[in-house]
Amino acid sequence: MGWQSVSHAQQSTPASRDSEALALSEAPSFTFSVQSQSADEALTELAKQANTTLLFPFDLAKRVKTNSLNGTYTLNEALEQLLEGTELAVIADDLGVLSIRSRASLVAKKPVERKEEEQEDNSNALERIAIVGTRNAPRSAVDSPVPLDIIGAKSLSSQGNADVLSMLSVMVPSLNVNDQPINDASSLVRPANLRGMSSDHTLLLLNGKRRHRSAVITFLGGGLSDGAQGPDISVIPAYALKQVEVLRDGASAQYGSDAIAGVINFVLKDDREGGSFALKSGAYGEGDGALFQFQGNRGFAVGDTGFINVTGEYRQQGGTSRSVQRDDAIALMEQGNGFIQDPAQIWGALDVANDMKLAINAGYSPSSTTALYGFLTAATRKLSGGFYYRNPQTREGVFSRTDTETGARRLIVADLDGIDSGIQCPSITLTDNNVLQNPTYQQIADNSTELGANCFAFNELYPGGFTPSFGGTIEDASLAVGLRKELPYDWAFDVSASLGYSNVDYDISNTVNPSLGPLSPTSFNPGGVSQVERTLNLDFSKLIQTVLDDPVSIGLGIEWRKETYFQKAGDESSYIAGPYAFEPPLGLNEGFSIGSNGFPGYQPQSAGNWSRSNWAMYADIEFFVTEALQFGVASRLEHFSDFGTTFDGKLSTRYKLNDLFALRGSVNTGFKAPTVGQSNVINVTTAYGPNGLEDQATLPPTDLISVQLGATPLTPEESVNFSVGAVMHVSEYFFATVDYFNIRLEDRISTTSAIPLTEDDISALIADGRPDAAKYNAAKYFTNDFDTKTQGVDVVVNYQFAAGEWQNNLLFAYNWTDTQVERVTLYPALVDGALQLTPNLTNARIRMLEDNLPAHRGSITLEQAISSFAFTWRLNYFGSFYEDHLDASAGFDIYGSARLTMDAQFSWQVSEETRFTVGAQNLFNTLPDTNIFKGEVGALYPPTTPGGINGNFFYAGLEFEFE
């Protein structure tokens, strides 16, 4: 049962407690005016009016309605009158200190001992209340039967990161977020991996309500998140958050699909008055990545009980470059090509422009038994970054074409008046020599002659090659409204409706549609994707008095949800097959590839929208068998319109060994439904394969090409999770938790490795009505491809102490996670002329799943305060990792070593309203190991390095609070 400590007195010290007890025994009187309302609110108001501290069971008090109280009374008299006839009673310990307990529990129990005095407002205070992990009653981190992190707004702000996703990755070691410098749509919405699982194995809640997923599917997700469609955490404004609750335990039985790794609940601020605004600016030690951020928050009272709390954020941040010149570019420059940029290709953080976020949280109670609530968020931002460099002598389909039989490579030349018509264009065989100095090419490039005017090569437009710039505009919004009401016979209900929207419009520039020849534009809108989710919830709850000492908490409800995925066609020039296309089966043979190079546009036949709906019924029961032994049981039955029904359950328990130690554990089943996007999306991107850059299509499993390659319809992923842990709770100022978890996940959904399309495959598909098959070098599709076992240990230690005039808060957090691929799906394939069953998952891909995230991560944070000054010191540890460089499965194996980084922040409370902050992340500029393959594509460091590749970041901020 969760306990709430409310206080409106000064901080007590051990030396002052005797005098405090004496003051209570003298029974001073106070004048009270408290209306009839829920006991948690009434007791909080009473404590405020008496300027004292009270301890009460929050879960029970939430469901109890008090009497009204008006007049002058002693504290004891006031409490007795306020609670007369309710399930709550007043007791006093040997010192005369008052606290509140369940009347039923007093029959067999002695009065409880006094808890600690007033809770300080610091970032890791113990009794901050969480609602995640239960539908019945809030609880604190140490009272929870499952692992739970509660992170306050102060902790989120004690670092230089400007978005909430990066902030959380610093505070929760089991949450990993890698940079995605050149990874297609993954660069726009970075995947977040909790407890070693994919990004779409973590469910997001906002004020306890399910949040929608992003429209972005991570076609290139660094192995672990390949094919995932997870939520976009970065669109939530950090300045709007009261706290963040991270449930590190499977919760599908409580919240439905996606909650295999855990749940993150974002709690919005609900202040009725006052506000603040903050400015932050910073840059990396290399001089790039300049940041400007403005944040503002304001609370407004609505009547006597209502509020509207509004937060806005604006951010601009420049991109970074941690690049070297590519080997192939150096070779061209040495041959006299002076048109190449240095570096030819950029590896670093994307450029963020016009990042704007809004959050509004509102509530109103027309009566003591009724509460209306609503909240909305909206965000938009534009991002842009680099792509792979197009070598002007080797990039297939733009500059060159290789004969598959002889291996000879020739320059692609467009004959503008048509092949076998008019002036014939010469053929140029490409070698390692600079083609710009080839006399025949110089004839082509001389447009003053008839031959030059008729013959065109893209070297004329891009003599040094080119690097496309890829990005997009992200729009995200959500709205939720609801009503909570108490019913007769102590029942209560919560009915809500929510709508979520995510949209991404892609753009690509500094590139061409080669098949259009000299008429090709150099900027394209290749289309976009959207995700829309609608949810209706009806929850009921009740506390039932039974033969047990404490009431039994019951929660049950129903949910309806519908999600729709949209794919929008790009502009015609981004996908059209122009007059110079290379499609031999169609009779077009000039040699140029089709579509905006790097990210071909979505074609009209690929556009559309797809929907599915699902119904769910669920029930939770939580109860205490004895004062020390707690149990929780949850179950969920869910039916999906596209693949049927699932049933999941969860059992959790907590046993208090003594006043210091408790054991806890849970076992549950879970599932993740294939998303509508995974089942229907069509995407083409340029990626590295064993033979270099190639166009790879990602297709739905029902697509004709996918079926040709062996695809079958998707089914849900299914998991079995269990965790066991221990809690040491010495006082409000020292606690420690250690938890072991084990997740077995079957039929994991991912994309296959790229499967080459043979000429026979292409001919057969064209004959079956799929002429676009000729555009692809290889294809991938979504499939239930493998099983994994993930296990790990989380350790959290929190110690608050004083040293002279210094107030200190020490937090140690550590995570060990290990993932093993236990089964891979086998597919029929011809090997040396014989049909054999072979895995599609490559060894490098398996190694990325198992070892790309560091097995060991930890941090030690020391927060110090003296007078008007505050300091934060944080030591971060990132263990060793493996990277299949470029996801190419081409032998570019990197074994990265462990790394330590140091963060520091200093704050000065200049006045009651104004605070000044300076700080540094990675203060000592600890950099990753240099990439041993840096010359391949110019990445100075392994791009998936834990802790990032950008080095130290320095920042300063100013915050002003007002009434």
Side-chain angles (χ1 to χ4, degrees):
M1 180 178 295
W3 291 82
Q4 175 72 60
S5 173
V6 294
S7 175
H8 297 276
Q10 296 297 314
Q11 171 72 22
S12 297
T13 64
S16 69
R17 291 183 181 174
D18 289 341
S19 60
E20 185 178 328
L22 178 62
L24 286 173
S25 68
E26 293 174 351
S29 297
F30 305 93
T31 299
F32 297 99
S33 178
V34 181
Q35 66 179 7
S36 175
Q37 56 191 307
S38 64
D40 64 310
E41 296 176 342
L43 291 169
T44 301
E45 180 62 26
L46 185 143
K48 180 179 180 181
Q49 295 180 17
N51 194 34
T52 190
T53 300
L54 291 174
L55 179 78
F56 60 87
F58 187 85
D59 51 356
L60 181 56
K62 190 78 172 176
R63 304 304 180 200
V64 171
K65 183 179 179 180
T66 67
N67 306 305
S68 61
L69 178 68
N70 291 280
T72 302
Y73 306 93
T74 66
L75 182 60
N76 190 49
E77 291 170 343
L79 286 168
E80 288 182 348
Q81 178 167 320
L82 188 76
L83 301 175
E84 183 179 2
T86 72
E87 294 182 36
L88 296 174
V90 186
I91 64 170
D93 65 12
D94 294 338
L95 295 176
V97 178
L98 303 177
S99 61
I100 316 301
R101 291 300 301 268
S102 162
R103 290 187 187 275
S105 68
L106 300 180
V107 175
K109 300 176 187 176
K110 297 179 181 179
V112 296
E113 296 182 358
R114 182 180 184 178
K115 293 270 183 176
E116 294 291 335
E117 295 294 328
E118 178 188 347
Q119 169 186 308
E120 285 289 315
D121 181 20
N122 51 47
S123 58
N124 294 292
L126 181 58
E127 285 297 328
R128 192 177 288 110
I129 299 301
I131 63 172
V132 70
T134 175
R135 291 188 181 275
N136 302 308
R139 54 167 60 97
S140 68
V142 294
D143 291 330
S144 173
V146 290
L148 179 64
D149 298 312
I150 305 177
I151 303 167
K154 182 179 176 182
S155 289
L156 291 173
S157 65
S158 63
Q159 51 181 294
N161 289 309
D163 70 274
V164 72
L165 176 58
S166 299
M167 293 176 182
L168 285 178
S169 69
V170 171
M171 304 305 301
V172 182
S174 58
L175 180 67
N176 287 274
V177 182
N178 286 339
D179 290 328
Q180 303 284 337
I182 302 178
N183 247 5
D184 224 18
S186 307
S187 301
L188 308 184
V189 178
R190 294 182 299 161
N193 307 111
L194 181 65
R195 297 204 304 171
M197 307 303 291
S198 179
S199 60
D200 55 4
H201 291 145
T202 301
L203 177 65
L204 255 60
L205 305 177
L206 188 63
N207 281 355
K209 302 300 181 182
R210 184 184 183 105
R211 187 166 171 83
H212 60 280
R213 71 180 82 250
S214 167
V216 167
I217 298 176
T218 55
F219 300 104
L220 302 173
L224 182 61
S225 293
D226 285 351
Q229 189 182 359
D232 186 359
I233 297 176
S234 63
V235 296
I236 298 173
Y239 209 61
L241 297 177
K242 181 178 181 180
Q243 68 184 39
V244 181
E245 303 158 358
V246 183
L247 175 66
R248 294 177 276 110
D249 193 62
S252 293
Q254 295 159 298
Y255 299 107
S257 177
D258 304 348
I260 288 175
V263 178
I264 302 177
N265 181 41
F266 296 92
V267 183
L268 297 175
K269 291 177 180 177
D270 55 5
D271 300 317
R272 301 179 70 240
E273 58 186 10
S276 61
F277 64 81
L279 292 170
K280 179 185 282 187
S281 181
Y284 287 98
E286 292 283 337
D288 53 10
L291 165 71
F292 172 79
Q293 184 176 49
F294 173 81
Q295 301 168 301
N297 173 265
R298 181 73 163 94
F300 302 91
V302 178
D304 294 332
T305 61
F307 71 93
I308 297 177
N309 192 275
V310 182
T311 303
E313 285 190 5
Y314 175 82
R315 176 171 70 114
Q316 294 268 127
Q317 187 158 16
T320 64
S321 175
R322 303 296 178 264
S323 315
V324 297
Q325 188 61 292
R326 294 167 48 127
D327 288 345
D328 59 345
I330 292 174
L332 288 171
M333 294 169 70
E334 290 175 347
Q335 294 168 15
N337 190 326
F339 298 94
I340 300 171
Q341 297 291 321
D342 189 7
Q345 179 177 330
I346 301 296
W347 290 88
L350 275 66
D351 185 82
V352 181
N354 298 321
D355 184 3
M356 294 180 286
K357 306 184 182 102
L358 171 71
I360 301 176
N361 190 25
Y364 180 71
S365 298
S367 70
S368 60
T369 61
T370 304
L372 300 168
Y373 62 89
F375 48 91
L376 67 85
T377 63
T380 180
R381 71 179 183 271
K382 182 174 176 58
L383 301 100
S384 59
F387 248 22
Y388 289 108
Y389 169 64
R390 271 57 178 166
N391 186 298
Q393 297 191 192
T394 62
R395 178 58 176 117
E396 290 283 297
V398 184
F399 299 104
S400 68
R401 179 66 69 186
T402 302
D403 189 306
T404 56
E405 295 182 359
T406 66
R409 191 171 70 248
R410 65 177 177 86
L411 181 71
I412 312 179
V413 179
D415 191 331
L416 303 185
D417 63 6
I419 296 176
D420 300 328
S421 175
I423 298 174
Q424 299 299 305
C425 294
S427 176
I428 300 175
T429 300
L430 292 170
T431 65
D432 292 336
N433 296 325
N434 183 4
V435 70
L436 301 182
Q437 298 174 353
N438 184 297
T440 307
Y441 167 76
Q442 292 174 351
Q443 293 179 31
I444 293 172
D446 184 0
N447 292 328
S448 64
T449 67
E450 290 187 2
L451 186 143
N454 179 62
C455 302
F456 171 79
F458 275 102
N459 304 71
E460 299 176 54
L461 184 61
Y462 294 110
F466 64 95
T467 303
S469 176
F470 175 76
T473 299
I474 294 175
E475 298 172 334
D476 191 280
S478 67
L479 171 67
V481 294
L483 167 68
R484 297 188 186 97
K485 186 172 179 60
E486 295 180 13
L487 300 172
Y489 306 105
D490 296 325
W491 280 96
F493 77 84
D494 181 344
V495 59
S496 64
S498 61
L499 174 68
Y501 169 74
S502 173
N503 179 76
V504 183
D505 285 316
Y506 298 115
D507 60 71
I508 187 167
S509 59
N510 196 40
T511 188
V512 292
N513 179 343
S515 68
L516 293 175
L519 299 179
S520 172
T522 57
S523 296
F524 303 87
N525 171 17
V529 289
S530 300
Q531 175 85 9
V532 177
E533 297 184 26
R534 290 137 287 194
T535 306
L536 298 175
N537 278 97
L538 178 59
D539 298 322
F540 293 91
S541 61
K542 180 179 174 63
L543 288 174
I544 299 178
Q545 197 66 52
T546 67
V547 294
L548 301 176
D549 290 339
D550 286 299
V552 175
S553 297
I554 294 178
L556 50 90
I558 57 175
E559 177 182 272
W560 173 84
R561 188 159 53 92
K562 182 177 182 179
E563 58 180 302
T564 304
Y565 184 79
F566 297 82
Q567 184 159 292
K568 297 168 286 186
D571 56 49
E572 185 180 45
S573 60
S574 70
Y575 63 78
I576 191 173
Y580 312 107
F582 177 66
E583 294 187 71
L586 299 181
L588 303 174
N589 56 10
E590 293 247 5
F592 291 100
S593 61
I594 300 168
S596 45
N597 194 258
F599 196 98
Y602 297 133
Q603 301 180 54
Q605 59 265 38
S606 302
N609 64 86
W610 304 268
S611 297
R612 74 135 175 258
S613 59
N614 59 286
W615 287 89
M617 296 183 294
Y618 43 85
D620 296 3
I621 301 176
E622 295 183 11
F623 57 93
F624 284 80
V625 178
T626 66
E627 182 182 4
L629 182 60
Q630 172 189 359
F631 277 101
V633 181
S635 62
R636 187 182 189 93
L637 179 69
E638 192 152 356
H639 178 77
F640 291 80
S641 60
D642 54 353
F643 64 80
T645 303
T646 67
F647 178 81
D648 289 279
K650 179 173 183 175
L651 173 65
S652 59
T653 184
R654 184 179 185 273
Y655 181 66
K656 184 178 179 181
L657 297 172
N658 51 45
D659 289 340
L660 296 181
F661 297 97
L663 301 177
R664 64 187 182 186
S666 72
V667 60
N668 62 84
T669 61
F671 75 103
K672 182 205 162 293
T675 71
V676 181
Q678 289 172 330
S679 298
N680 296 281
V681 70
I682 297 176
N683 185 74
V684 182
T685 189
T686 302
Y688 254 80
N691 299 316
L693 284 181
E694 62 182 20
D695 291 334
Q696 298 177 357
T698 302
L699 305 169
T702 54
D703 187 273
L704 189 61
I705 296 176
S706 302
V707 173
Q708 173 90 2
L709 298 174
T712 56
L714 294 176
T715 60
E717 302 175 341
E718 297 184 347
S719 69
V720 177
N721 302 17
F722 75 85
S723 66
V724 292
V727 176
M728 180 172 66
H729 183 193
V730 177
S731 71
E732 302 297 313
Y733 305 108
F734 182 85
F735 70 91
T737 64
V738 57
D739 295 278
Y740 167 81
F741 62 88
N742 186 296
I743 307 171
R744 289 185 177 271
L745 184 55
E746 297 182 349
D747 296 326
R748 287 186 64 162
I749 298 171
S750 182
T751 55
T752 64
S753 300
I755 304 172
L757 285 170
T758 66
E759 290 187 7
D760 289 341
D761 288 332
I762 294 172
S763 298
L765 289 164
I766 291 173
D768 286 337
R770 286 300 300 272
D772 58 311
K775 298 188 298 183
Y776 312 142
N777 302 105
K780 302 186 291 185
Y781 55 85
F782 290 95
T783 183
N784 298 91
D785 209 22
F786 55 96
D787 302 342
T788 58
K789 180 182 80 171
T790 300
Q791 60 180 336
V793 174
D794 287 309
V795 180
V796 176
V797 180
N798 193 330
Y799 178 38
Q800 300 174 37
F801 62 97
E805 296 183 359
W806 289 81
Q807 297 296 318
N808 303 278
N809 182 40
L810 184 65
L811 175 65
F812 169 78
Y814 165 78
N815 168 259
W816 166 72
T817 298
D818 175 74
T819 295
Q820 297 294 322
V821 176
E822 295 193 314
R823 182 199 65 83
V824 297
T825 302
L826 301 178
Y827 301 89
L830 286 175
V831 179
D832 297 329
L835 190 64
Q836 297 182 13
L837 292 176
T838 62
N840 171 262
L841 214 59
T842 64
N843 290 333
R845 179 91 176 279
I846 291 174
R847 189 71 188 274
M848 286 287 284
L849 287 162
E850 296 180 339
D851 298 326
N852 182 234
L853 298 182
H856 301 275
R857 266 201 67 190
S859 66
I860 300 175
T861 302
L862 175 62
E863 298 174 344
Q864 299 180 294
I866 183 171
S867 184
S868 58
F869 304 106
F871 302 84
T872 300
W873 314 93
R874 182 178 296 110
L875 184 66
N876 308 290
Y877 174 77
F878 304 91
S880 57
F881 69 101
Y882 164 82
E883 177 182 298
D884 172 29
H885 191 46
L886 310 179
D887 291 329
S889 298
F892 301 150
D893 298 316
I894 295 174
Y895 300 89
S897 58
R899 185 162 62 130
L900 281 170
T901 65
M902 182 74 181
D903 303 335
Q905 178 173 290
F906 164 73
S907 294
W908 174 29
Q909 194 72 37
V910 181
S911 66
E912 187 176 346
E913 301 86 7
T914 308
R915 180 168 57 252
F916 173 71
T917 300
V918 293
Q921 289 191 285
N922 193 1
L923 177 64
F924 301 113
N925 201 32
T926 306
L927 296 171
D929 297 334
T930 300
N931 178 11
I932 58 176
F933 304 107
K934 63 182 180 180
E936 192 70 29
V937 292
L940 179 57
Y941 306 114
T944 63
T945 298
I949 63 175
N950 287 306
N952 50 14
F953 181 79
F954 300 94
Y955 60 94
L958 186 67
E959 185 171 24
F960 181 81
E961 297 181 358
F962 53 90
E963 295 296 329

